[in-house]
Amino acid sequence: MSKKGCLATVAAALAFVLSGCSGGGSDGGTVGYSVPKSLCGVTVDPKLLEPFLPAGKQLAVKEDEPVADAITTCELSIDDAVVVSIERERREPGASPRDIAVNQLNVGNPEESSTGGYVYSDRIAVSVVRCDSPRAVAEDLSSIVKVLKPGIADKSAMKSFIASYTTAYKKQQPCRDENGSPAPTAP
């Protein structure tokens, strides 16, 4: 991520930490925070994230610097406890979301989308964007979403979240050409 993008993410995270709202959390408790509209630089409807979030006073979003421009990690915490983690990784082509979920994350039997573009369970979802258009460097881009305790497990909400997150991520044209410029994803 560029320094400009990183600064924008940090500024947005700070704004969310400093702002507050009242109401009930998904677990029925009191909420003293606002839900972010962006995670790891990807715009998402806050209502799709809310089902995973417990009651609490303070929400913080932390995005780590990419590791060798390959892995980006973003964590959402409530009262200093990480409840949602998103990891995006550039991979060699060919890994399926199911392979990543089952073999790398030990998810027993995840549900699969009709297109095969993502799999999900109540606490973990994996999507893969294929960069196989003629202009793009041949690679796959995986997104792994984890809901950690005390976050709230919800399979239906996870399906909605990963579908929306993946669609929004594709719109950013995350694939690159040999010069590092954006390249379209394959249909």
Side-chain angles (χ1 to χ4, degrees):
M1 172 180 272
S2 70
K3 285 187 179 186
K4 183 178 177 183
C6 187
L7 287 174
T9 301
V10 170
L14 183 58
F16 290 123
V17 168
L18 297 176
S19 66
C21 66
S22 61
S26 294
D27 60 358
T30 301
V31 172
Y33 56 79
S34 294
V35 179
K37 296 178 182 175
S38 175
L39 286 172
C40 287
V42 177
T43 301
V44 291
D45 182 346
K47 290 183 183 188
L48 296 175
L49 190 56
E50 287 174 359
F52 308 119
L53 305 180
K57 295 179 182 175
Q58 188 176 36
L59 180 146
V61 178
K62 177 185 171 201
E63 185 170 342
D64 292 332
E65 286 293 318
V67 177
D69 200 33
I71 300 174
T72 301
T73 304
C74 184
E75 296 176 336
L76 187 148
S77 301
I78 304 291
D79 298 337
D80 298 324
V82 176
V83 293
V84 177
S85 172
I86 298 177
E87 182 178 284
R88 291 195 317 244
E89 182 175 0
R90 294 187 177 277
R91 301 173 171 266
E92 293 292 319
S96 75
R98 179 170 290 285
D99 289 342
I100 296 167
V102 172
N103 299 327
Q104 183 179 330
L105 303 170
N106 298 317
V107 177
N109 189 22
E111 300 285 331
E112 189 165 1
S113 69
S114 60
T115 63
Y118 61 87
V119 297
Y120 59 95
S121 68
D122 60 345
R123 288 198 176 269
I124 295 177
V126 179
S127 69
V128 173
V129 173
R130 308 259 180 235
C131 295
D132 54 4
S133 71
R135 288 187 32 223
V137 171
E139 63 183 351
D140 290 343
L141 307 173
S142 66
S143 295
I144 298 171
V145 179
K146 297 178 188 176
V147 174
L148 310 168
K149 291 183 180 181
I152 300 161
D154 186 326
K155 187 186 278 190
S156 176
M158 185 63 83
K159 178 181 180 182
S160 297
F161 181 82
I162 193 66
S164 179
Y165 187 90
T166 303
T167 298
Y169 184 49
K170 282 182 180 180
K171 288 179 181 177
Q172 293 182 342
Q173 292 190 319
C175 298
R176 303 179 298 200
D177 65 16
E178 293 109 24
N179 300 318
S181 298
T185 57

